[in-house]
Amino acid sequence: MTQPVAINLLSGGLDSVTVLHIARAQGFLPIALSFRYGQRHIFELTRAAELCRELEVEHLVLNLDPGLFAGATALVGESQAIPTDRPIDDSIPSTYVPARNILFLAHALALAETRGATDIFIGVNALDYSGYPDCRPEFIAAFESMANLGMKAGVEGRPLRIHAPLAEMNKAQIIQTGLKLGVDYARTSSCYQPDAAGRPCGRCDSCVLRARGFAGAGIADPLLGPADRA
């Protein structure tokens, strides 16, 4: 039997790396799709590329014009500071990137039809997240419905499925799932403003949520040395 192909959106962060391993465990042959869009945390793509080389996964990196997001998000450009040490709630933070997952999924749809794939995997999470509207299950379901109305494959009876296996997990559960699948979380990058060597700041929303997850899982984050954990 031919191994089914899946398009995996891969940032190099904790969630998307876990999802890549989930897709492989489910028997899919993944094609990893990453994006360069002027993100300040560009180091994440280094981790994504390393992982794909190690797993012998095809890896495509597409460029989006950073001008799409100029001035609208703290994650692109220098017009806004990355928020740190803030209470994390369901409000939409300044690190929200306009239509990011819509753009990512749209490109994944095109690649899926081109490669004959009917499955896309994305690492969105609706429990431990920073208030991003495009991480909610209802958004994923609506996007899948829209895609199947507007794509040749869907009209011809080969509906596309968008998998969001982490949607209802908290960060601790995600980490526990990944460890069972052999994920090396020391080879991921979650921080919104890592230094040149990829060391996390420990204070942005993403670092706070990651720390909360490892604490909940009862294990130390391998990215942090003893001094960082003190």
Side-chain angles (χ1 to χ4, degrees):
M1 179 180 292
T2 303
Q3 191 175 10
V5 174
I7 309 303
N8 269 81
L9 291 172
L10 180 69
S11 69
L14 184 153
D15 293 339
S16 70
V17 168
T18 302
V19 168
L20 179 63
H21 281 77
I22 289 173
R24 283 164 50 90
Q26 291 182 2
F28 288 95
L29 177 66
I31 298 173
L33 180 61
S34 303
F35 294 87
R36 185 181 293 108
Y37 56 96
Q39 64 267 48
R40 294 169 66 165
H41 51 306
I42 193 70
F43 184 81
E44 65 181 1
L45 295 186
T46 298
R47 292 303 190 212
E50 290 172 350
L51 175 67
C52 290
R53 284 194 297 269
E54 291 168 6
L55 297 180
E56 298 183 338
V57 168
E58 181 180 356
H59 185 209
L60 303 178
V61 181
L62 300 184
N63 295 315
L64 299 180
D65 187 342
L68 287 170
F69 316 112
T73 173
L75 286 190
V76 178
E78 303 291 334
S79 63
Q80 302 181 48
I82 299 289
T84 56
D85 304 321
R86 76 177 188 97
I88 298 177
D89 52 29
D90 290 342
S91 61
I92 300 175
S94 62
T95 49
Y96 164 72
V97 180
R100 180 171 58 180
N101 281 341
I102 296 172
L103 290 167
F104 288 1
L105 284 167
H107 285 80
L109 293 178
L111 182 60
E113 270 208 319
T114 299
R115 296 296 188 91
T118 57
D119 296 85
I120 293 173
F121 281 78
I122 184 171
V124 294
N125 173 255
L127 295 183
D128 285 344
Y129 79 122
S130 295
Y132 300 138
D134 54 1
C135 288
R136 298 173 298 163
E138 53 266 43
F139 162 73
I140 297 298
F143 196 97
E144 181 182 275
S145 296
M146 177 276 298
N148 284 310
L149 287 172
M151 295 178 64
K152 177 185 177 189
V155 171
E156 292 182 345
R158 292 174 287 114
L160 182 131
R161 296 176 295 272
I162 301 179
H163 304 260
L166 311 184
E168 303 295 345
M169 294 186 192
N170 61 38
K171 273 289 188 287
Q173 291 168 329
I174 293 168
I175 291 165
Q176 290 164 341
T177 297
L179 291 174
K180 291 176 183 176
L181 295 173
V183 176
D184 180 2
Y185 286 115
R187 307 296 299 278
T188 62
S189 180
S190 302
C191 182
Y192 288 153
Q193 52 182 0
D195 66 16
R199 289 182 291 262
C201 73
R203 300 174 58 199
C204 67
D205 288 3
S206 189
C207 281
V208 170
L209 290 171
R210 181 179 172 118
R212 188 182 296 173
F214 276 99
I219 59 174
D221 185 344
L223 281 184
L224 301 179
D228 299 305
R229 291 194 290 266

